[in-house]
Structures are given as C-alpha cells and as structure tokens.
C-alpha cells in the first residue's frame, strides 16, 4: 500500500480542514439554538463537513493507485478540492446569515449562491467521473482491490447523481405555479414538504420519501467497499478461507452487487414517496430477495473449491498401460 506521504496533498489538507469545520459545527449545534427547515441550523454544515472529510480522504488514497494518467488525476483532485471548498463556503455563509443554502431563490443574492452551488456540484461530479475513468483503465494487480475501488466509485457516482433530481421543482411546486417568483425551488423530500417530521441525526423524512437516503448510501460506497476488503484481509489470519485471494474476490463481488441493489431499492422507495423507516410490503419483499441473494452469494463464495477431476482421456490411457 502506498505511503500516506504520496497521497494527493490538497485533498488531504482539505479533509483536515473539513474535520476542523465538523468540530466547529458540532459546537454550533450545542450553543446555537436556531432552527432552519425543521432542523438545527448547524446540522447541514456538520453533515457535509463529515462527509467531505471521508470522501476527499478516500480519493486522496485512490489517486495513488494510478499507473497512467497521473497528471490528469492530480488536476481532477485539485478540481474536487476547489469545488468542494466553494460549496462549503456557501453553506457556511448561509448558516451565518440564518438562511437555507439549498433550493433558496428568495432573493437575487440567495439565488446567485444557489446557482453557484449547483455549478460546483456538477463540476465536482464530473471531476470524480474523470478519476473513476482513470482507475477503470489502471491495471491493479489485486483483483479484489480493483473491484472494491471501481465498484465503490461507480456506485458513489450514481449516488451523487441522485442530488440532481432534488434541484428540480417538486410536484407541489409545479402545481402551485409561479416558479419565477418562488422562494424555494427543489426539495429533498418526495410527496411531502421539506421540514416535516424527520429521523434523528440524518434529518430524513419520516412521513414521505427522501432522496437523501439513497444519495448518502450510494456516495459512501466509496469508503465502505474498500473498508470491507480491508476487513477481509485483517480477518484472514483467523479465518482460513479468507486467505484465498479468490474467496476475497468473490466476497467483494457479493458486496458490490448487494450495495448497488440496496441503493436501487431505497431510491425506488423514496421516489414512491415512502419513508425509509416505514417500508410497505413491496419494499420488504424486494429487500428480502436482496438479503437472500447476498446470503446465498456469501455462502457460495466461502465454499471450498471442488477438487479438479482427472481428465477422462488421461485416465483411460493410464488404465490401458496398467492392463498392458
């Protein structure tokens, strides 16, 4: 594994800055009792800072795996830092002003900030796509590592892309008309207004669908799948089957498929206006099928390989020699 000193330095520095901002935001959660759209006003910068800390630190490591296109990858990392920084500055400025950052078109200034944030999000996604393409073209010696990295990146890109529909006018906003003069255009929730009853910590709606759930689960495949592989490697000395590289590869395949299926399921659930914690029969049925498939795949991955059968021709020849 490459030394941490070779990691993309701007991404590492930005991750450290975001960790510091997470601490500041946590203090804000304690000392500032202001609420915004049904949540503590410092909740958004706290969650974004924690997310960016993990996201950028993971990309900083992944860029060390490149064997070709390193210069392009380095510049893509710079773009990730600049766009992420711009997004966090806008979020923090709006918190200080006591205004919402996302979907806010109440004034010309608010609208300009939201438009700028929208552009940074698109560019950030495109820069991550460039890194993903470079890693897809990079030959990694360990196939399980290659799959964990590439699968994590592709699922993360799909999860990040779920942020784009949130910026579109919701059904109720379209029905109300007058989008040119609306104070808010876009929403996290589906079927209910933003700011209603929500889950603790995450803030996801408990009365309607919420696209932030698949957005979050998808984006953090970037960390979870490589961490899953690291866990397999660490457990290998105590669990003999995991010492086999083929077993680890098969288990990572199951993890990638299961994570992708989970993101698809909760996206479908959210788009139907259904809260994550209140699934209906159809959602539970599909969830059960995914769980069964993952359990079966895990069992198959851990099964010892069947001994190779001797070739029939070779066996026949041996018998003839014996008879002779």
């Amino acid at each position: 594994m490459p030394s941490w000193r070779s990691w993309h330095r701007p991404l590492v520095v930005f991750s450290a800055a975001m960790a510091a901002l997470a601490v500041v935001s946590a203090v804000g959660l304690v000392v500032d009792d202001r609420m915004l759209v049904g949540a503590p006003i410092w909740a958004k910068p706290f969650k974004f800072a924690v997310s960016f800390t993990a996201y950028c630190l993971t990309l900083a490591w992944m860029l060390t795996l490149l064997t070709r296109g390193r210069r392009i990858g380095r510049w893509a990392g710079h773009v990730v830092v600049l766009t992420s920084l711009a997004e966090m500055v806008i979020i923090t400025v709006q918190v200080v002003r006591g205004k919402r950052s996302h979907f806010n078109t109440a004034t010309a200034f608010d609208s300009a900030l939201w438009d700028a944030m929208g552009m940074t999000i698109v560019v950030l996604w495109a820069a991550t796509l460039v890194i993903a393409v470079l890693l897809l073209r990079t030959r990694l010696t360990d196939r399980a590592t290659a799959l964990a990295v590439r699968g994590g990146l592709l699922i993360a890109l799909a999860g990040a892309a779920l942020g784009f529909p949130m910026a579109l006018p919701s059904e109720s906003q379209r029905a109300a008309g007058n989008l040119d003069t609306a104070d808010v255009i876009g929403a996290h929730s589906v079927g209910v207004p933003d700011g209603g009853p929500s889950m603790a910590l995450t803030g996801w709606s408990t009365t309607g669908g919420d696209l932030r759930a698949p957005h979050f689960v998808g984006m953090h495949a970037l960390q979870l799948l490589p961490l899953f592989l690291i866990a397999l490697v660490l457990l290998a000395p105590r669990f003999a089957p995991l010492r086999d590289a083929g077993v680890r590869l098969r288990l990572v395949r199951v993890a990638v498929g299961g994570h992708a299926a989970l993101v698809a399921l909760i996206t479908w659930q959210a788009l139907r206006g259904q809260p994550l914690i209140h699934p209906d029969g159809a959602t539970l049925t599909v969830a059960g099928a995914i769980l069964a498939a993952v359990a079966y795949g895990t069992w198959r991955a851990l099964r010892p390989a069947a001994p190779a059968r001797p070739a029939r021709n070779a066996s026949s020849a041996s018998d003839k020699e014996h008879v002779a």
Side-chain angles (χ1 to χ4, degrees), residues 64-324:
T64 65
L65 303 176
L66 293 178
T67 56
R68 54 193 299 186
R70 288 181 175 176
R71 185 175 181 181
I72 297 173
R74 185 168 61 253
W75 280 104
H78 294 341
V79 172
V80 169
V81 170
L82 291 174
T83 52
S84 301
L85 176 61
E87 185 171 354
M88 288 307 301
V89 167
I90 293 171
I91 290 173
T92 307
V93 165
Q94 290 294 71
V95 165
V96 172
R97 295 179 65 229
K99 306 290 185 181
R100 63 185 297 169
S101 52
H102 288 65
F103 321 129
N104 188 353
T105 57
T107 68
F109 182 68
D110 292 324
S111 184
L113 289 180
W114 170 232
D115 289 342
M117 184 181 291
M119 288 187 289
T120 63
I121 292 170
V122 171
V123 176
L124 171 60
W125 188 89
T128 306
L129 176 62
V130 169
I131 294 172
V133 170
L134 291 173
L135 283 166
L136 285 171
R137 298 180 61 197
T138 294
R139 180 172 295 180
L140 300 176
T141 55
D142 184 70
R143 295 173 64 193
T145 299
L147 181 59
V149 168
R150 294 165 180 167
L153 269 166
L154 293 177
I155 296 173
L157 282 167
L162 290 172
F164 300 139
M166 299 183 204
L168 300 175
S170 66
E171 186 176 334
S172 60
Q173 290 166 354
R174 288 194 299 267
N178 301 319
L179 292 177
D180 292 337
T181 58
D183 290 344
V184 175
I185 298 178
H188 297 121
S189 303
V190 178
V192 295
D194 282 349
S198 60
M199 297 170 56
L201 298 179
T202 63
W204 301 338
S205 176
T206 56
T207 56
D210 200 314
L211 287 169
R212 286 175 294 184
H215 179 64
F216 174 87
V217 174
M219 284 192 64
H220 290 291
L222 190 73
Q223 296 86 40
L224 292 176
L225 291 174
L227 285 174
F228 175 72
L229 176 58
I230 290 172
L232 295 181
V233 173
L234 292 176
L235 288 171
R238 297 186 177 184
F239 193 46
L242 297 182
R243 298 170 196 164
D244 185 342
V247 170
R248 293 197 298 271
L249 175 61
R250 292 194 294 271
L251 287 172
V252 172
R253 284 174 180 162
V254 173
V256 171
H259 201 113
L262 176 62
V263 173
L265 171 62
I266 59 180
T267 301
W268 176 59
Q269 182 183 12
L271 290 174
R272 289 186 293 134
Q274 186 180 116
L276 179 69
I277 59 174
H278 298 300
D280 62 8
T283 301
L284 289 173
T285 299
V286 176
I290 293 172
L291 184 61
V294 169
Y296 176 72
T298 301
W299 173 73
R300 286 294 301 268
L302 292 172
R303 284 183 64 191
R309 294 183 179 181
R312 179 174 296 179
N313 291 341
S315 178
S316 299
S318 176
D319 291 343
K320 289 180 180 179
E321 290 179 4
H322 182 72
V323 172

Side-chain angles (χ1 to χ4, degrees), residues 1-21:
M1 183 174 179
S3 168
W4 66 269
R5 296 180 184 276
S6 65
W7 291 21
H8 189 281
R9 187 166 299 177
L11 281 169
V12 173
V13 172
F14 180 73
S15 297
M18 289 300 98
L21 179 59

